[in-house]
Amino acid sequence: MRRLPFFIALLASLAGCAAMAPRPADTVAVKVLAINDFHGHLRPPAGGFRVRDPQDPAKSIDIAAGGAEHLASAVRELRARNPNHVFVAAGDLVGASPLLSALFDDEPTVESLGLMGLAISAVGNHEFDRGAAELLRLQRGGCHPGKGCKGPTPFAGARFQYLAASTIDTRTGQPILPAYVVKRFEGIPVAFIGLTLRATPQIVMPAGVAGLEFRDEAATVNALVPELRRQGIEAIVVLIHEGGFPAGGHGDCPGLSGPIVPIVRQLDPAVDLVISGHTHRAYVCRIDGRLVTSADKYGTLLGEIDLLLDRASGDVREANARNVVVRTDVFAKDEAQTRLIEAYERLSAPLARRVVGRLAAPLLRDEGPAGESALGQVVADAQLAATADAGAQIALMNSGGLRAALTGDAQGTVRYEDLFAAQPFSNALVTITLTGAQLRQVLEQQWAGQARPRLLQVSRGLSYAWDAARPVGQRIVPGSLQLHGHTIAPEQRLRVTVNAYLAAGGDNFKALAENGADAQTGIMDIDALEQHFRRAGTVSPATDGRIRRLN
């Protein structure tokens, strides 16, 4: 009887083999494993991954998932299913990272991904957060030029190859990193082209992309196809840091919208597979018959893509994919990753674990119907208070700069690492002068020229109403824009605090860069939030509704 479990397992494995369709002898099977938007999440992210409740499909539940230790094990287990394999990524591996990685300029993340076998990655927009020179340092290795070596061992650089086909150095006219890499599987070449989104200059600090040109994604790929074919390459995979918004779950695709759709439709038919990212969504789709995938964010999912290469033509005969949830209760911790993480945690602990205050209730990122979030309100209030000496009357905060909810521990205790997870960009606060008319123009840009609405979080005292039925550019309800209950006149001069990213026109808020006058730079955003917690002792969510939505 003690042998019964063995026989049950054997029968199950044989049944699985019988169910698998035999691979034609004139083909080569290749397994591509893919991630995107890892953002330095060495530890599993709070909240894990949300899936449909198997007990009630109308509801969703959160399951613990992600983290480098479990992702490494998932990669190893899936890779073992096929000797022909490659592990790739679609960008934003670093940047907007938790403190454990960011404190060391994301060197821990680069080391971790190399350790788990990542081979190739497209460059995402967040790879430019600290500028092109820093991206190249992460690729090639060496100590940080300003901070020196801070890790447990000298930083040797990435074991994987970053690709940047569409990112051009304007001085040389050449890509700042290779455009593609060719891998061979049983002699058949497969090209992997990597590129980031064309809109990178609109969502990165200008200093981070100075001297760079970001060219059209589809045109860049299509121009490379003849070059690849001259080398006898027919199988082509695109790794692109741009994405879409699915209507279904993480493994299906009843509908997909967003920038990735027109890009894929413009690609040369020679492109066989597109691995995407940027939107932090999960999908397995087909656009005009071509497979397009994305694996959510933070290592919570691992894309498992199976290609069938034709031995005679070298082209992709078949492509299929699924997104595997990297459950922490299914995939064990990888010991090498644990050792790496613990080494960096010992160095970061004194700063990361410092208590800064308490929470009376969680501050969530979830936006209400009008676009406000509890976290956004508190952050805007903190930035207003921190720049009072610059005359600030209003503070505006971009929701995209808020990366994690503030929940505290069981007792509501908040530590510095929690603040950093919520605001990881280390942006300086800038107080500028705008007229009432210019402030209204800024608020109208929440809808104008945006792929989707980007509602700014506003500080206490500022209020307005917007009407979704009104045309873009006219959505702020006339007479509703008020400060402390008084209507803001078009000619009224106001001191407004934003972070440096917004002050430079980030998130397409060009009116801030074009009109902001008398700029005064203040403290860092995270320091303002820490001051707010220390001053209050216990922070509670705001109870006032500052923004009203009509229709």
Side-chain angles (χ1 to χ4, degrees):
M1 293 296 293
R2 284 178 297 195
R3 295 174 60 87
L4 185 59
F6 168 78
F7 286 112
I8 292 175
L10 178 61
L11 288 171
S13 66
L14 291 174
C17 292
M20 293 174 59
R23 178 174 62 83
D26 60 347
T27 62
V28 173
V30 175
K31 187 174 294 293
V32 181
L33 303 178
I35 60 171
N36 53 273
D37 299 278
F38 187 68
H39 287 292
H41 276 71
L42 299 171
R43 289 295 191 192
F49 183 72
R50 180 163 293 186
V51 298
R52 291 193 185 98
D53 186 343
Q55 305 301 320
D56 184 355
K59 298 179 180 179
S60 297
I61 57 173
D62 293 331
I63 55 177
E69 295 162 299
H70 306 282
L71 178 61
S73 292
V75 169
R76 183 175 60 251
E77 290 187 26
L78 298 184
R79 195 165 48 198
R81 299 176 181 177
N82 189 337
N84 298 318
H85 56 252
V86 62
F87 179 26
V88 303
D92 274 10
L93 303 179
V94 299
S97 306
L99 184 64
L100 178 60
S101 184
L103 187 62
F104 303 95
D105 300 296
D106 282 315
E107 291 174 11
T109 294
V110 173
E111 292 179 7
S112 169
L113 292 170
L115 191 61
M116 68 178 75
L118 185 67
I120 311 164
S121 179
V123 171
N125 55 283
H126 278 286
E127 267 83 9
F128 293 100
D129 282 350
R130 304 185 191 99
E134 176 63 2
L135 167 60
L136 295 177
R137 185 187 73 86
L138 291 179
Q139 177 72 82
R140 299 165 182 168
C143 298
H144 190 281
K147 303 175 185 177
C149 292
K150 298 194 299 181
T153 58
F155 180 60
R159 299 186 190 180
F160 56 91
Q161 179 63 59
Y162 269 122
L163 302 177
S166 59
T167 305
I168 308 301
D169 185 330
T170 56
R171 294 170 302 175
T172 66
Q174 298 298 314
I176 62 167
L177 287 158
Y180 60 88
V181 163
V182 178
K183 296 286 185 180
R184 293 183 178 272
F185 303 95
E186 297 185 28
I188 300 176
V190 179
F192 293 83
I193 302 172
L195 61 166
T196 190
L197 69 162
R198 188 180 185 182
T200 295
Q202 282 75 60
I203 53 176
V204 172
M205 289 284 287
V209 293
L212 300 178
E213 177 189 355
F214 291 81
R215 293 181 176 172
D216 181 88
E217 304 96 336
T220 297
V221 171
N222 293 346
L224 289 170
V225 169
E227 177 181 334
L228 295 173
R229 282 185 154 165
R230 283 194 295 270
Q231 299 175 49
I233 300 169
E234 293 295 332
I236 301 174
V237 178
V238 167
L239 310 174
I240 179 171
H241 192 71
E242 181 58 287
F245 304 95
H250 66 277
D252 56 9
C253 190
L256 185 69
S257 60
I260 194 65
V261 177
I263 291 172
V264 173
R265 286 179 173 157
Q266 294 173 56
L267 291 176
D268 190 295
V271 175
D272 301 289
L273 166 67
V274 176
I275 297 171
S276 64
H278 185 55
T279 55
H280 291 198
R281 300 300 182 90
Y283 45 83
V284 175
C285 299
R286 292 192 187 271
I287 300 176
D288 293 344
R290 186 156 30 201
L291 186 63
V292 182
T293 71
S294 180
D296 203 65
K297 61 187 181 299
Y298 306 159
T300 55
L301 295 185
L302 177 60
E304 183 182 19
I305 305 160
D306 290 304
L307 303 179
L308 212 56
L309 306 181
D310 188 288
R311 287 187 183 275
S313 68
D315 208 348
V316 174
R317 184 184 294 185
E318 188 177 314
N320 294 289
R322 68 182 185 121
N323 277 324
V324 178
V325 181
V326 184
R327 297 182 59 132
T328 60
D329 61 349
V330 171
F331 296 101
K333 291 184 177 181
D334 177 85
E335 293 182 359
Q337 294 288 334
T338 300
R339 288 192 296 271
L340 175 70
I341 291 170
E342 289 179 347
Y344 277 102
E345 283 184 332
R346 283 192 292 271
L347 294 174
S348 67
L351 173 63
R353 302 298 294 167
R354 189 178 75 234
V355 174
V356 298
R358 294 189 69 258
L359 280 171
L363 300 178
L364 303 181
R365 297 170 61 221
D366 301 344
E367 296 179 0
E372 289 189 285
S373 72
L375 177 61
Q377 288 181 323
V378 167
V379 168
D381 289 346
Q383 295 181 358
L384 177 63
T387 52
D389 59 352
Q393 300 164 275
I394 297 166
L396 306 175
M397 176 63 197
N398 56 311
S399 296
L402 305 173
R403 308 300 284 200
L406 274 176
T407 57
D409 63 13
Q411 289 73 45
T413 301
V414 177
R415 303 180 187 277
Y416 185 80
E417 62 185 344
D418 302 321
L419 299 187
F420 197 91
Q423 283 198 281
F425 292 103
S426 297
N427 273 319
L429 298 182
V430 182
T431 304
I432 57 177
T433 298
L434 297 174
T435 65
Q438 290 167 343
L439 174 61
R440 183 189 184 97
Q441 183 184 3
V442 170
L443 296 176
E444 292 289 2
Q445 287 182 341
Q446 295 175 120
W447 302 277
Q450 306 281 12
R452 54 187 173 126
R454 294 179 182 269
L455 276 294
L456 295 168
Q457 304 299 302
V458 305
S459 58
R460 181 178 286 110
L462 183 67
S463 62
Y464 69 91
W466 64 277
D467 188 344
R470 294 171 65 89
V472 171
Q474 303 176 40
R475 290 196 167 172
I476 306 300
V477 176
S480 69
L481 184 57
Q482 298 183 343
L483 182 60
H484 301 301
H486 300 285
T487 300
I488 296 175
E491 70 279 3
Q492 184 176 346
R493 291 173 65 81
L494 302 160
R495 292 290 281 168
V496 181
T497 294
V498 294
N499 59 44
Y501 170 66
L502 282 175
D507 278 354
N508 214 37
F509 287 99
K510 298 177 182 178
L512 289 168
E514 294 169 352
N515 301 318
D518 307 319
Q520 184 173 336
T521 301
I523 65 174
M524 307 300 282
D525 52 9
I526 190 170
D527 295 333
L529 188 57
E530 182 177 9
Q531 282 185 5
H532 186 70
F533 269 84
R534 293 196 180 282
R535 186 166 48 245
T538 299
V539 173
S540 301
T543 57
D544 57 326
R546 305 167 189 183
I547 306 174
R548 292 182 296 116
R549 175 178 178 174
L550 308 180
N551 298 308

